[in-house]
Structures are given as C-alpha cells and as structure tokens.
C-alpha cells in the first residue's frame, strides 16, 4: 500500500532539531538536510530521470564491487566504525542493528545489488554507497511543526516500513526521529525508517537527510549534500526545486530547511555546487 500522492504545501514550516542529550553523548554527530518542497517521484524505469538515478546506483555498486571490501573491512571504514561506536554509546548492539549505511554497504560488498525502488530512493542509495554515510529520503507531507532527533520516551507510535496496519513502540531512551504528534519515524536512530515517511511515486514533499557520527564528518556530509543537490537540479523532468542545504550539529542544533529565504553564508560550499549544477 502506497502513501497517497498529495499537493505539497511549500510554505509550511518544519523545524528540525537535535536533542542536546544526543550530542553530549555523540559530540561528532552531524545531520545534513535538503528540503524538496515539490517533486514528481517516478518509479524504476519510468522515464529518463529514473534511468539516470538507476545508472548512478549501478555505478556506485560497481565501484564497491571493484574495491572488493569484506564484511570486516566495511565495519572498519572510519564513518561506519564511528556509527558502530555511537550505537554502543546509546545502548544499541551494532552487530544486531547496524546503521543504514552499513546495511547497504554490507549487502553490496557481498556482490549483490540493491533493489530499484524509485528515482529518489535509488539516488539516496547511490550517494550512501559513495559517501559511506546514511542517506535517506523522507516524505514529510503529513508532518508539520517540528521533527526532532531525540531519545524516545517509549510511548511514541512507530509504523514499520511496509506494514501500515502494524504499530510498535520504541524502547525508552532509543534514538528516534519524532514528530509533534507522538509518532516515531525511525527505529534505533537510522537502522529502520517508518512507513509514514517512506517515499513513494507521485507528487511529494520530501526531506533528504545525510548523517555522520565521526569527528570531522561535517565535510563528508557537505560533500554528500552537494551530490544530492546537483543530481536533483539535473533531474529537470522531476520538477524538483531543492532548497539550500542545512547542517545541524552540537553548535547549531535546530533549523527549518523549508524556510523560503534562508541566507547563504559567504564561503558556503553549496552555493558553488548549486551554481555548477545549473
């Protein structure tokens, strides 16, 4: 069952924030965001834009196949090793619940290919494989007000991906993405995405996320965001008009990626990337 297509409301604010308890425990945590107020997401093979994102994903898979890392080498990658430690710090066993990036890297490192879902999910998976960072597309059409990355109270309601008729509750203290309505949109940080925010084909209002947990990861998040922004700008057939990327961390823990007139700071690397992509 797919999320129903909707007419995105460009002007609706959505403040995204990081709970300070999280960055106290994982000080290197960086959350990169790109708002896409309106985009026509197309299914696999449905037009040249889907072919383009599918080709990007194939190229990323081929590069990893050529590098030939084993399971132990994937776990030892600096970005992945930092996520494994971050999970341990917040009480999650990374062997049982690996972060999203480790999951896709391990699968492809074994010689497999990822399933082709649609233009946006395929693009995010391609950038995740290339950057070694968790990258996700979230349909935020039903969200308004605020979205917070924080420890769970335990009463939040989570709907598992692909099971819209099923609900469960996160464990108290578990890191989740939570909205104002008491809904959790992830489990164990970024191990699993919820069904409410999954990206389906159709006209969508999306929030793209890139995360890092290692010291110095900000530059890698910036690079991944620039790749996403350039790809979205190039996919003219999808009607995308991505917003200016926003980075949140310990120093800047909150912001609205959908704000229409967010200032571009001098020396901002995204200004150059966006101009080059046009």
């Amino acid at each position: 069952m797919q999320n129903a297509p909707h007419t995105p409301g460009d002007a609706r604010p959505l403040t995204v924030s990081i709970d300070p308890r999280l960055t106290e425990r994982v000080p290197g945590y960086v959350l990169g965001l790109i708002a896409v107020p309106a985009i026509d997401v197309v299914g696999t093979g449905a037009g040249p834009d889907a072919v383009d994102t599918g080709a990007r994903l194939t190229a990323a898979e081929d590069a990893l196949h050529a590098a030939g890392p084993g399971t132990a080498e994937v776990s030892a990658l600096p970005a992945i090793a930092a996520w494994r430690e971050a999970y341990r710090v917040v009480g999650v066993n990374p062997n049982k619940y690996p972060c999203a990036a480790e999951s896709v890297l391990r699968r492809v490192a074994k010689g497999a290919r990822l399933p082709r879902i649609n233009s946006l999910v395929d693009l995010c998976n391609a950038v995740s494989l290339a950057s070694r960072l968790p990258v996700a597309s979230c349909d935020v059409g039903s969200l308004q007000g605020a979205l917070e990355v924080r420890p769970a109270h335990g009463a939040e309601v989570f709907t598992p991906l692909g099971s819209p008729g099923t609900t469960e509750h996160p464990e108290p203290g578990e890191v989740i993405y939570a909205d104002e309505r008491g809904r959790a949109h992830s489990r164990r940080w970024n191990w699993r995405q919820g069904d409410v925010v999954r990206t389906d084909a159709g006209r969508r209002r999306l929030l793209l996320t890139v995360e890092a947990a290692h010291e110095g990861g900000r530059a890698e998040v910036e690079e991944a965001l620039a790749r996403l922004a350039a790809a979205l700008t190039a996919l003219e057939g999808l009607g995308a008009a991505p917003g200016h990327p926003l980075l949140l961390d310990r120093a800047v823990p909150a912001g609205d990626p959908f704000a229409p007139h967010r200032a571009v700071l001098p020396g901002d690397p995204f200004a150059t990337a966006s101009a080059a992509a046009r």
Side-chain angles (χ1 to χ4, degrees), residues 108-134:
V108 176
K110 292 177 181 177
R113 293 195 181 274
L114 299 176
R116 270 49 178 173
I117 307 298
N118 58 51
S119 52
L120 262 293
V121 175
D122 292 353
L123 173 61
C124 288
N125 282 338
V127 175
S128 182
L129 287 175
S131 65
R132 283 38 171 174
L133 300 174

Side-chain angles (χ1 to χ4, degrees), residues 14 16 31-39 120 123-124 127 135-138 140 205-210 221-233 240-248 256-259 262 270 273-274:
L14 182 66
V16 182
L31 172 60
L33 305 166
I34 293 181
V36 187
I39 186 170
L120 262 293
L123 173 61
C124 288
V127 175
V135 180
S137 173
C138 305
V140 294
R205 183 179 197 246
L206 302 180
L207 180 65
L208 307 187
T209 66
V210 182
V221 171
E222 289 178 343
E223 181 180 354
L225 288 172
R227 289 185 183 185
L228 288 170
L232 288 168
T233 303
H244 189 73
L246 172 66
L247 273 81
L248 303 180
D256 181 0
F258 287 92
R262 265 192 316 108
F270 300 119
S274 297

Side-chain angles (χ1 to χ4, degrees), residues 3-260:
N3 287 338
H6 57 81
T7 302
D10 295 2
R12 284 179 294 154
L14 182 66
T15 299
V16 182
S17 61
I18 304 171
D19 189 295
R21 291 172 293 176
L22 186 55
T23 47
E24 285 173 6
R25 302 182 73 181
V26 186
Y29 180 55
V30 178
L31 172 60
L33 305 166
I34 293 181
V36 187
I39 186 170
D40 294 313
V41 179
V42 297
T44 300
D49 292 312
V51 172
D52 182 89
T53 55
R56 290 173 188 266
L57 179 52
T58 297
E61 292 167 334
D62 289 346
L64 193 63
H65 290 159
T71 300
E73 291 172 292
V74 168
S75 298
L77 290 168
I80 300 302
W83 273 112
R84 292 176 67 84
E85 180 57 27
Y87 270 40
R88 292 188 189 97
V89 167
V90 298
V92 176
N93 181 349
N95 295 319
K96 187 175 182 180
Y97 304 108
C99 79
E102 184 171 2
S103 293
V104 295
L105 284 164
R106 281 174 175 258
R107 183 168 182 171
V108 176
K110 292 177 181 177
R113 293 195 181 274
L114 299 176
R116 270 49 178 173
I117 307 298
N118 58 51
S119 52
L120 262 293
V121 175
D122 292 353
L123 173 61
C124 288
N125 282 338
V127 175
S128 182
L129 287 175
S131 65
R132 283 38 171 174
L133 300 174
V135 180
S137 173
C138 305
D139 185 341
V140 294
S142 70
L143 275 62
Q144 56 185 336
L147 180 67
E148 187 176 19
V149 187
R150 61 164 172 81
H153 305 310
E156 298 88 353
V157 177
F158 175 80
T159 303
L161 188 66
S163 301
T166 303
T167 60
E168 57 191 47
H169 300 287
E171 298 174 5
E174 176 185 331
V175 179
I176 59 171
Y177 279 71
D179 67 20
E180 290 184 339
R181 296 167 58 184
R183 298 180 297 182
H185 299 294
S186 71
R187 289 296 310 272
R188 298 178 178 87
W189 213 325
N190 55 54
W191 169 68
R192 285 287 185 270
Q193 187 183 63
D195 196 73
V196 173
V197 296
R198 78 184 186 280
T199 299
D200 287 329
R203 188 73 167 169
R204 302 292 169 191
R205 183 179 197 246
L206 302 180
L207 180 65
L208 307 187
T209 66
V210 182
E211 299 172 283
H214 59 295
E215 293 293 343
R218 183 183 180 91
E220 292 169 40
V221 171
E222 289 178 343
E223 181 180 354
L225 288 172
R227 289 185 183 185
L228 288 170
L232 288 168
T233 303
L235 298 176
E236 296 180 359
L238 300 183
H244 189 73
L246 172 66
L247 273 81
L248 303 180
D249 56 15
R250 192 173 188 177
V252 182
D256 181 0
F258 287 92

